[in-house]
């Protein structure tokens, strides 16, 4: 067997962790201090992100958002996985005046993994 096909076989037999599972770990380390992701959880320092994919921007009714995010909601913006990843690349650039107080994620794989994890969460109990 060639070296290339051996490496391919190893990659197939030992896939990395699924993005959503990896995203859960990144979320726990980098986001959960401020954001809940469990169904029905109340906001913390930041809004709940349970079910955020498909939700309007500034869509946690229990959270007091900045004018920057409220304006985006008024403009009809809705979170999808792509918007979430672009947001996490540079949160303040997307929403000047954001109150998040965190830097997002520098690694594109981390951003994709967190978006995949959040896409699997739901708002309701
Ligand atoms: C230091 C606390 C803090 C950390 C850490 C933090 N956030 Fe936030 N986040 C906030 C706050 C506060 C807001 C609301 C900002 C506003 O109103 O301008 C917010 C807003 C958001 C929103 C918009 C939610 C909505 O309802 O429209 C998303 C998405 C988000 N954060 C994702 C993340 C992710 C993913 C991480 C981890 C990589 C993270 N945040 C880390 C505090 C934090």
């Amino acid at each position: 067997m060639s070296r290339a096909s051996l490496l391919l076989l190893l990659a197939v037999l030992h896939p990395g962790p699924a993005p959503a599972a990896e995203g859960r770990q990144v979320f726990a380390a980098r986001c959960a201090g401020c954001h809940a992701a469990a169904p029905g959880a109340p906001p913390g320092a930041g809004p709940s992100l349970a079910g955020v994919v498909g939700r309007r921007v500034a869509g946690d009714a229990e959270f007091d958002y900045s004018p920057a995010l409220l304006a985006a909601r008024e403009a009809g913006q809705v979170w999808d996985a792509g918007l979430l990843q672009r947001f996490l690349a540079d949160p303040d650039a997307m929403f000047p005046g954001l109150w998040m107080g965190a830097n997002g994620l520098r690694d594109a794989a981390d951003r994709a993994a967190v978006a995949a994890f959040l896409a699997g969460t739901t708002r309701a109990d």
Side-chain angles (χ1 to χ4, degrees), residues 27 30-31 34-35 45-49 52 55-60 63-66 68-69 79 84 87-88 97-102 104-105 114 118:
F27 188 87
R30 304 286 303 276
C31 320
C34 297
H35 291 289
S48 167
L49 296 182
V52 70
R55 191 175 85 182
R56 290 188 310 176
V57 170
D60 180 351
F63 188 78
D64 242 342
Y65 288 96
S66 64
L69 284 188
W79 290 111
L84 208 48
F87 171 72
L88 291 174
L98 188 75
W99 292 346
M100 189 154 110
L105 298 169
V114 166
L118 287 173

Side-chain angles (χ1 to χ4, degrees), residues 91-121:
D92 296 292
M94 181 174 281
F95 299 114
L98 188 75
W99 292 346
M100 189 154 110
N103 282 330
L105 298 169
R106 205 161 355 150
D107 181 355
D110 283 352
R111 297 195 291 270
V114 166
F117 163 66
L118 287 173
T121 63

